[in-house]
């Protein structure tokens, strides 16, 4: 039920993000969720795409520095306090979030969030036991 | 202009014939001392010099082979030490071209003689026991701090061993203790001046009247600028760790070139190609032979500094010749905020970091009045895990490794592979974007 996230090292150079998106677009790869963590000189672009294997090989073939990470995608009620409900479980069960971000799409009354947990396997287990709706990679790919 | 004063009138105004006789007898002693080191014995014997008697005139200097910085590295740590360890009272090291530093040992008499030379410099520049001296160069292995310190105490100045950095405290001490003379790099003094302006510090609270500036090249117009901005007299200072440190050559109150103490150093200026002496006024590489040093005698040491002897006598009466400003280097050494840095040192550090590739770029520019060193490296794709904290730690580790080797703080920037000059051939890696002097 874990989802593959692709991380890209991007130096702080004009047009670099444009290069990535152009390349993915030309290869028919759709970005589902995306986030950038940046410092003064470089950034890390994190994304969930519909075809992670293909995206990785295309990016590497074009000399991008890329790696994959397991993340957990969670459905959150799209209403005030929706995210808080999930975070309450996370806090009470002592799970540690390294970072999180939202999906581009939402479905009906649910919003999709991406979590990178310190221990993804444990997190998956705990969340499911607490009735949180976790979304698998096949669902992400067919959104 | 201040009145001409001497610390050691007899030596400073010695006539040239007597100076040359003194040089010859000291050179013989130095050659004998050098022959007692395993490093020099072989190479002097190969040149047919087995004892002081093989040196009959100063012209015999030509028979003595040169010594280079690489030689000092090869002799590291103690093959150039000419006295028993028990007689050594101090050592100073400086950066080598790779990871190995160079070391100079001193006996008590070496320190005494060095102090005497620095005292001459300070008095020649018109300072004396009435002055409060704030020494704003780094203390420790770097010779700039301790070298001036001992000489200034000898002269009887009130010495503030401020060392470098902490600008706010430097200015506070200038105000509180009535500092009259400072020793610094030109860029640091410019930086201090900009802080004084920025903080709107009342100039009338400062008693500054003189600055001794050295350790990095600067132009005559920079001297004028500093003199006007701070309302002080600026004197140019020259030294290098291999020749003790500061106190090799210094300007007198006429500020027309730096008197080099020729009773302590035989001074040659040699054509870069032929390595034959050039005429006064012509530019060449500065080569020194120590005449007084007992622990680490150095024969014909090639400084790689380019300069010229100023022709003619100086009105101050000193007979020791004057050196012009240092015009440049014959090697690729960089001078960054007064510290000597070789690109090969940086390369050596980077090659020991498995997470970065072999391509790199060294950029030097100005941030305000101070120099800034940026080292650009490429991260190695296979090592990338996507964790930003890991990259931050990597950057921190490279920064501290470089700091440990260079003794100055660089800025390290991580880049994507393929964005820096490739490692094959003679890639241009050093970009010195500082304004030309």
């Amino acid at each position: 039920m874990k989802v593959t996230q692709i991380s890209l090292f991007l130096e702080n150079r004009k047009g670099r993000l444009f290069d990535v998106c152009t390349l993915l677009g030309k290869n028919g790869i759709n970005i589902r969720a995306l986030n950038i963590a940046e410092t003064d000189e470089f950034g890390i672009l994190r994304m969930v795409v519909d075809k992670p294997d293909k995206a990785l090989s295309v990016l590497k073939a074009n000399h991008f520095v890329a790696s994959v990470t397991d993340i957990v995608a969670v459905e959150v009620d799209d209403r005030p306090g929706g995210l808080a409900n999930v975070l309450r479980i996370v806090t009470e069960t002592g799970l540690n979030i390294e970072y999180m971000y939202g999906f581009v799409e939402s479905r009906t009354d649910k919003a999709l969030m991406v979590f990178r947990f310190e221990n993804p396997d444990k997190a998956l287990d705990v969340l499911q036991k607490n009735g949180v709706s976790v979304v698998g990679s096949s669902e992400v790919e067919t959104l | 202009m201040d009145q001409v004063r001497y610390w050691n009138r007899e030596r400073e105004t010695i006539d040239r014939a007597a100076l040359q006789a003194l040089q010859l007898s000291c050179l013989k002693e130095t050659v004998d001392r050098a022959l007692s080191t395993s490093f020099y014995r072989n190479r002097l014997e190969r040149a047919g010099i087995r004892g002081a008697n093989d040196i009959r005139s100063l012209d015999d200097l030509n028979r003595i082979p040169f010594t280079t910085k690489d030689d000092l590295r090869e002799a590291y740590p103690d093959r150039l030490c000419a006295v028993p360890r028990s007689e050594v009272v101090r050592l100073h090291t400086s950066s080598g071209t790779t990871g190995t530093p160079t070391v100079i040992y001193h006996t008590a008499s070496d320190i005494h003689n060095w102090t005497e030379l620095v005292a001459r410099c300070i008095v020649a520049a018109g300072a004396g026991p009435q002055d409060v001296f704030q020494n704003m160069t780094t203390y420790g292995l770097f010779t700039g701090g301790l070298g001036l310190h001992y000489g200034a105490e000898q002269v009887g100045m009130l010495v503030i061993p401020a060392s470098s950095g902490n600008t706010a405290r430097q200015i506070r001490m200038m105000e509180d203790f009535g500092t009259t003379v400072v020793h610094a790099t030109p860029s640091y003094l410019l930086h201090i001046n900009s802080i004084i302006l920025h903080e709107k510090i009342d100039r009338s609270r400062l008693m500054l009247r003189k600055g001794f500036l050295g350790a990095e090249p600067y132009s005559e117009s920079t001297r004028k600028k500093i003199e006007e901005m701070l309302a002080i007299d600026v004197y140019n200072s020259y030294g290098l760790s291999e020749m003790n440190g500061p106190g090799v050559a210094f300007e007198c109150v006429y500020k027309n070139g730096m008197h080099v103490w020729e009773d302590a150093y035989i001074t040659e200026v040699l054509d870069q190609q032929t390595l034959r002496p050039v005429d006064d006024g012509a530019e060449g590489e500065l080569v020194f032979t120590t005449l007084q040093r007992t622990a680490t005698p150095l024969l014909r040491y090639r400084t790689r500094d380019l300069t010229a002897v100023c022709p003619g006598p100086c009105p101050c009466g000193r007979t020791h010749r004057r050196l012009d400003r240092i015009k440049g280097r014959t090697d690729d050494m960089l001078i960054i905020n007064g510290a000597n840095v070789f690109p090969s040192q940086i390369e050596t550090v980077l090659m020991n970091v498995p997470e970065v590739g072999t391509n790199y770029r060294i950029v030097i520019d100005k941030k305000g009045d101070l120099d800034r060193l940026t080292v650009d490296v490429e991260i190695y794709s296979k090592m990338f895990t996507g964790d930003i904290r890991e990259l931050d730690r990597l950057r921190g580790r490279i920064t501290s490794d470089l700091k440990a080797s260079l003794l100055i703080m660089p800025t390290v920037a991580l880049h994507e592979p393929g964005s820096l000059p490739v490692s094959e051939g003679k890639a241009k890696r050093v970009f010195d974007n500082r304004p030309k002097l």
Side-chain angles (χ1 to χ4, degrees):
Chain A
M1 292 290 270
K2 285 172 289 188
V3 174
T4 300
Q5 168 190 268
I6 292 173
S7 301
L8 271 188
F9 177 87
L10 290 181
E11 62 179 68
N12 200 348
R13 181 148 53 90
K14 198 174 173 185
R16 211 56 191 135
L17 185 58
F18 171 72
D19 295 341
V20 178
C21 294
T22 307
L23 181 67
L24 295 179
K26 264 199 297 194
N27 285 277
I29 296 161
N30 203 350
I31 300 170
R32 298 296 190 203
L34 162 143
N35 158 270
I36 294 177
E38 93 277 358
T39 69
D40 284 349
E41 298 112 17
F42 63 87
I44 291 183
L45 169 65
R46 300 163 178 147
M47 54 192 174
V48 177
V49 299
D50 57 351
K51 303 180 195 76
D53 294 341
K54 184 178 180 190
L56 195 63
S57 65
V58 163
L59 287 166
K60 286 199 168 170
N62 284 274
H63 309 294
F64 281 97
V65 179
S67 70
V68 292
T69 315
D70 284 336
I71 47 104
V72 177
V74 167
E75 266 188 350
V76 176
D77 289 336
D78 193 4
R79 58 168 176 77
L83 180 59
N85 283 338
V86 175
L87 291 179
R88 185 185 320 109
I89 296 164
V90 167
T91 305
E92 286 171 355
T93 55
L95 294 174
N96 204 357
I97 300 172
E98 292 186 356
Y99 54 83
M100 56 176 283
Y101 52 98
F103 262 64
V104 178
E105 294 110 315
S106 65
R107 30 186 210 184
T108 60
D109 56 343
K110 302 284 188 188
L112 276 173
M113 297 295 299
V114 169
F115 288 87
R116 165 69 188 173
F117 290 103
E118 198 175 49
N119 184 342
D121 292 312
K122 183 185 165 199
L124 204 56
D125 187 47
V126 167
L127 290 176
Q128 283 174 328
K129 276 185 185 151
N130 283 277
V132 175
S133 167
V134 177
V135 178
S137 49
S138 56
E139 287 169 82
V140 168
E141 280 161 31
T142 56
L143 269 175
Chain B
M1 194 198 308
D2 285 323
Q3 204 186 330
V4 173
R5 283 203 165 83
Y6 306 103
W7 173 254
N8 184 341
R9 177 191 289 265
E10 195 191 326
R11 273 299 175 89
E12 294 175 50
T13 60
I14 187 171
D15 75 63
R16 294 294 298 181
L19 175 64
Q20 282 163 6
L22 181 65
Q23 285 183 323
L24 180 59
S25 82
C26 290
L27 176 62
K28 285 165 173 257
E29 286 172 29
T30 299
V31 164
D32 257 347
R33 279 195 286 266
L35 278 164
S36 73
T37 66
S38 63
F39 176 82
Y40 273 123
R41 194 179 312 121
N42 292 341
R43 49 168 65 198
L44 286 176
E45 283 179 359
R46 255 181 279 140
I49 299 165
R50 292 184 171 74
N53 288 338
D54 290 317
I55 304 293
R56 291 184 188 83
S57 74
L58 286 177
D59 289 340
D60 284 330
L61 193 64
N62 284 321
R63 295 169 53 202
I64 299 176
F66 293 107
T67 307
T68 65
K69 193 157 182 101
D70 283 342
D71 291 332
L72 299 192
R73 195 183 63 197
E74 192 192 311
Y76 185 87
D78 57 7
R79 288 182 56 229
L80 267 164
C81 189
V83 298
R85 186 58 61 87
S86 59
E87 288 179 30
V88 177
V89 300
R90 198 198 298 170
L91 65 79
H92 281 278
T93 67
S94 92
S95 51
T97 48
T98 60
T100 310
T102 60
V103 56
I104 301 295
Y105 296 97
H106 299 277
T107 62
S109 86
D110 292 338
I111 298 288
H112 173 86
N113 289 332
W114 181 11
T115 301
E116 148 84 19
L117 298 181
V118 174
R120 286 187 204 171
C121 296
I122 291 169
V123 173
Q130 74 284 1
D131 281 302
V132 177
F133 177 60
Q134 192 162 326
N135 195 12
M136 305 193 290
T137 48
T138 311
Y139 278 63
L141 291 170
F142 180 67
T143 53
L146 286 171
L148 255 289
H149 181 102
Y150 275 56
E153 283 191 351
Q154 186 72 44
V155 167
M157 303 166 100
L158 194 175
V159 182
I160 308 173
S163 201
S164 53
N166 202 338
T167 305
R169 189 179 67 183
Q170 299 280 13
I171 296 170
R172 171 98 199 259
M173 287 196 290
M174 286 179 190
E175 292 178 295
D176 292 353
F177 302 124
T179 300
T180 55
V181 180
V182 293
H183 175 219
T185 60
S187 49
Y188 191 59
L189 201 52
L190 280 168
H191 176 67
I192 286 200
N193 181 65
S194 66
I195 301 294
I196 288 174
L197 292 176
H198 183 260
E199 303 289 320
K200 299 191 174 61
I201 285 160
D202 181 4
R203 280 297 329 267
S204 68
R205 287 178 48 82
L206 298 179
M207 311 285 284
L208 283 187
R209 65 183 198 101
K210 283 176 193 296
F212 301 157
L213 301 191
E216 66 187 19
Y218 63 112
S219 63
E220 195 55 38
S221 61
T222 302
R223 182 214 305 257
K224 293 258 154 59
K225 187 172 148 192
I226 295 174
E227 289 190 325
E228 277 164 26
M229 288 188 314
L230 282 163
I232 61 173
D233 281 305
V234 164
Y235 303 86
N236 200 359
S237 158
Y238 175 76
L240 61 163
S241 62
E242 293 83 359
M243 296 294 128
N244 298 344
V248 176
F250 219 85
E251 282 184 324
C252 66
V253 290
Y254 286 92
K255 296 195 281 195
N256 57 0
M258 303 174 284
H259 291 279
V260 54
W261 303 119
E262 293 182 86
D263 56 333
Y265 306 101
I266 294 181
T267 305
E268 301 174 86
V269 178
L270 304 182
D271 181 272
Q272 283 190 72
Q273 261 72 51
T274 64
L275 295 176
R276 302 290 303 165
V278 298
D279 292 335
D280 287 1
E283 194 176 293
E285 180 180 342
L286 201 48
V287 173
F288 287 120
T289 298
T290 64
L291 291 175
Q292 300 176 336
R293 212 158 59 195
T294 54
T296 316
L298 288 182
L299 303 172
R300 303 192 86 195
Y301 180 73
R302 293 185 60 176
T303 65
R304 305 284 176 183
D305 282 327
L306 288 171
T307 185
V309 167
C310 305
C314 179
C316 77
R318 287 177 185 82
T319 49
H320 300 248
R321 292 179 298 165
R322 289 162 296 134
L323 299 178
D324 205 349
R325 294 178 171 282
I326 302 301
K327 307 257 175 55
R329 299 276 304 174
T330 67
D331 60 9
D332 58 356
M333 189 181 88
L334 300 162
I335 301 176
I336 302 170
N337 289 325
N340 298 344
V341 172
F342 289 93
S344 51
Q345 278 178 283
I346 295 175
E347 175 164 319
T348 304
V349 169
L350 295 180
M351 294 310 130
N352 286 319
V353 182
E355 293 91 339
V356 297
T358 51
N359 299 333
Y360 64 92
R361 181 170 56 202
I362 298 165
V363 182
I364 309 110
D365 59 3
K366 284 276 182 190
K367 190 183 181 197
D369 292 304
L370 298 177
D371 296 336
R372 176 172 60 180
L373 167 66
T374 306
V375 179
D376 290 315
V377 297
E378 289 180 358
I379 67 161
Y380 187 48
S381 318
K382 292 205 171 67
M383 297 285 189
F384 178 66
T385 63
D387 189 340
I388 198 162
R389 291 164 304 180
E390 221 166 81
L391 290 174
D392 241 15
R393 278 196 294 271
L394 172 65
R395 212 167 72 93
R397 206 174 77 226
I398 299 172
T399 305
S400 59
D401 285 358
L402 285 169
K403 168 82 178 13
S405 171
L406 312 179
L407 307 177
I408 56 166
M409 186 65 92
T411 301
V412 172
L414 304 179
H415 293 265
E416 291 176 46
S419 57
L420 298 178
V422 291
S423 56
E424 290 90 34
K426 288 215 170 234
K428 181 167 165 56
R429 304 202 171 283
V430 179
F431 296 82
D432 193 340
N433 298 333
R434 291 174 290 192
K436 292 277 167 288
L437 290 176

